[in-house]
């Protein structure tokens, strides 16, 4: 995504430059707003892949809302001192010429938002022709009237959204959560309250200003529509009309505060064929266009976070692999998003460090899908394992929908609309800094990890603060694919099978 072409300006001037003192100050401010434990880390919440076990244990027992999973770039939006910034996952600040007026009832109105922090996705829509837009607008409004949309006020906003499609820029920021609005902390309120505040206090005042002849901004701000989880089939059908790609669903808990880092109760579902892992590519070159590609992941060792070979090699198939062979220098050391394909062929060389033609071909492999220019570090081993769990679990949309609808017919699901907008127990913020140390391949860069506040509560032994929806951490620790604790297994010893029909780690 060429953000400069969208009218965004990188605050530090160049991607390779170190962050400015102003950026560090603003990043620490965002972590303070969100309750992040690592001041220099990206403070956004991270979902986990949905499996059958997680659906039975959490999704069907607690109140959730569902929305489409947009295939865009994750950004936080910070409105501060009259400026609006988009913060990517590399913690880079992009200045956006976006004016966010205060709601009319605010004590400081008229004026601009200050200390407002939103979470969302930046997309570049492919806007269809006028006839298609009118048809899509009518279908969307009709859909939201006939299906009881949880965010009722979104119907009016939804109509404004599609009326504005004809004249707005193609870049859009889709809001799906809120941390702080008008210098008021809303992270400890229910999801319904956070969405309503984002809609009424941020999006609608902006729409009214645009309707009154305000200047056109390079990025349009919208709020996603959320629905009860038993309407997931309608959401998937509706997503076919969107002018951007949709690659799955996101299930957000209603009665869980906004948390930074990996959130065990926030789920994403993608078809098994679209589940991906972000590896670091390390090339071993031979003569001509001969090349083998190692796949590296992050591994925590003590207090250090190292990037190591995981025992997997890139499959020699796909369009991007052809480009890799013709221009290997452009791919060496970058982050590649890879998808597991059973029909792919993978060559495993006999030597891990020197190019050799000795080795064996195996069925199945990781195919390079795209390069991740917005990331500098690969997924850690635990994240990769969770993705492979989801791939092996192979939870299809039909199976998930049948499971949800059966629970709905039996009256086991909790409607999100009955949860209200009350406050939730706050997680304690401790003056602590958690570091994963230095990456072996990037010794000059400290790597911070956001930690879910609810895991911290558990480890602080303050169980009286835990709400009823708190995740129960098993005493023996998380287990892997074979049921053994992750800490007690050999490095890189994922479950082995007689053939590579499913991904697994091998001894590196």
């Amino acid at each position: 995504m060429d953000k400069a072409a969208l009218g965004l300006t990188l605050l530090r001037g160049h991607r390779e430059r170190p962050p400015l003192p102003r950026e560090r100050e603003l990043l620490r401010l965002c972590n303070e707003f969100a309750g992040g434990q690592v001041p220099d880390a990206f403070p956004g919440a991270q979902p986990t892949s949905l499996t059958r076990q997680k659906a039975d244990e959490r999704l069907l027992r607690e109140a959730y809302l569902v929305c489409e999973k947009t295939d865009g770039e994750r950004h936080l939006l910070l409105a501060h001192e009259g400026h609006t910034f988009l913060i990517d996952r590399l913690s880079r600040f992009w200045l956006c010429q976006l004016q966010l007026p205060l709601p009319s009832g605010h004590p400081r109105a008229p004026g601009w938002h200050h200390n407002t922090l939103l979470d969302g996705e930046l997309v570049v829509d492919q806007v269809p022709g006028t006839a298609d837009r009118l048809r899509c607008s009518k279908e969307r409004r009709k859909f939201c009237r006939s299906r009881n949309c949880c965010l009722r006020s979104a119907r009016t906003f939804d109509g404004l959204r599609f009326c504005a499609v004809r004249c707005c820029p193609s870049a859009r920021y889709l809001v799906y959560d809120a941390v702080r609005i008008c210098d008021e902390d809303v992270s400890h309120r229910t999801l319904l309250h956070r969405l309503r505040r984002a809609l009424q206090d941020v999006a609608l005042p902006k729409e009214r200003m645009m309707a009154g002849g305000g200047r056109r901004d390079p990025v349009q701000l919208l709020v996603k529509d959320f629905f009860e989880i038993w309407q997931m089939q309608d959401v998937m059908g509706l997503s076919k009309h969107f002018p951007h790609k949709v690659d799955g669903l996101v299930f957000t808990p209603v009665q869980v505060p906004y948390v930074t880092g990996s959130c065990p109760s926030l789920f994403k579902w993608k078809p098994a064929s679209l589940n991906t892992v972000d590896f670091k590519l390390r090339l071993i070159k031979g003569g001509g266009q001969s090349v083998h590609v190692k796949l590296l992941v992050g591994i925590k060792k003590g207090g250090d976070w190292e990037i190591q070979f995981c025992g997997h090699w890139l499959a020699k198939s796909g369009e991007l692999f052809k480009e890799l062979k013709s221009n290997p220098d452009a791919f060496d050391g970058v982050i590649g998003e890879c998808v597991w394909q059973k029909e792919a062929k993978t060559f495993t060389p006999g030597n891990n460090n020197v190019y050799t033609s000795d080795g064996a071909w195996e069925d199945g492999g990781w195919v390079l899908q795209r390069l991740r220019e917005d990331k500098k570090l690969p997924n850690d081993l635990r994240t990769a394992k969770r993705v492979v769990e989801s791939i092996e679990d192979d939870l299809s949309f039909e199976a998930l929908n049948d499971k949800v609808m059966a629970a709905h017919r039996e009256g086991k699901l909790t409607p999100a609309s009955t949860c209200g907008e009350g406050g939730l127990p706050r997680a304690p913020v401790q003056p602590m800094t958690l570091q994963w140390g230095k990456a072996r391949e990037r010794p000059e860069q400290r790597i911070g990890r956001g930690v879910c506040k609810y895991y911290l509560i558990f480890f602080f032994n303050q169980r009286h603060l835990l709400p009823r929806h708190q995740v129960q951490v098993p005493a023996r620790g998380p287990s892997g694919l074979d049921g053994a604790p992750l800490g007690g297994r050999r490095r890189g010893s994922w479950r082995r099978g007689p053939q590579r029909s499913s991904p697994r780690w091998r001894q590196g």
Side-chain angles (χ1 to χ4, degrees), residues 31 35-39 260 428-434 450-451 453 456 460:
N31 273 282
Q37 302 296 315
V38 184
T260 62
V429 179
Q430 302 290 337
M432 61 182 298
T433 299
L434 303 179
V451 180
K453 291 185 288 189
L456 291 177
F460 293 152

Side-chain angles (χ1 to χ4, degrees), residues 70-107:
T70 307
D71 188 14
E73 280 195 19
R74 168 79 175 281
H75 289 77
L76 294 176
L77 185 146
L78 173 67
H80 183 71
E81 295 181 347
H83 301 286
T84 302
F85 304 96
L86 293 180
I87 312 166
D88 61 23
R89 299 177 72 169
L90 295 178
S91 299
R92 297 179 303 197
F93 282 73
W94 297 83
L95 181 62
C96 180
Q97 301 299 325
L98 178 65
Q99 296 176 325
L100 296 179
L102 291 170
S104 58
H106 194 274

Side-chain angles (χ1 to χ4, degrees), residues 306-412:
E306 301 177 353
I307 299 176
Q308 294 185 1
F309 177 49
C310 62
H312 278 262
W313 298 82
L314 185 67
K316 296 179 180 291
S317 59
E319 293 298 323
L320 270 183
F321 188 79
K322 297 178 182 178
E323 298 182 19
L324 183 148
K325 291 194 299 181
S326 60
N327 187 16
D329 293 337
F331 289 78
D332 193 18
V334 303
I335 305 299
E337 182 178 341
C338 301
V339 61
W340 179 265
Q341 293 183 2
K342 295 180 179 180
E343 63 275 9
K345 299 291 184 180
T346 302
F347 181 78
T348 303
N351 193 316
N352 293 342
N353 302 313
V354 181
Y355 182 87
T356 176
S357 57
D358 297 332
W361 287 92
E362 300 179 357
D363 295 329
W366 294 102
V367 177
L368 184 60
Q369 193 173 43
R370 62 170 175 163
L371 299 182
R372 293 297 301 268
E373 297 180 356
D374 60 326
K375 298 185 67 175
K376 290 185 178 180
L377 298 172
N379 288 141
D380 63 82
L381 184 61
R382 296 177 302 174
T383 299
K385 287 181 177 182
R386 287 194 291 264
V387 172
V388 172
E389 279 186 18
S390 180
I391 294 174
E392 292 187 335
D393 190 71
D394 196 18
L395 178 60
S396 65
F397 175 80
E398 291 75 15
L400 177 60
N401 186 62
D402 291 344
K403 187 183 293 287
V404 170
M405 294 307 295
H408 179 52
R409 287 192 296 268
E410 296 173 5
K412 296 181 178 180

Side-chain angles (χ1 to χ4, degrees), residues 471-492:
V471 176
Q472 299 299 320
V473 181
R476 64 182 178 87
S479 60
L481 300 184
D482 54 7
L486 295 181
R489 295 210 305 269
R490 295 175 300 165
R491 176 177 61 85

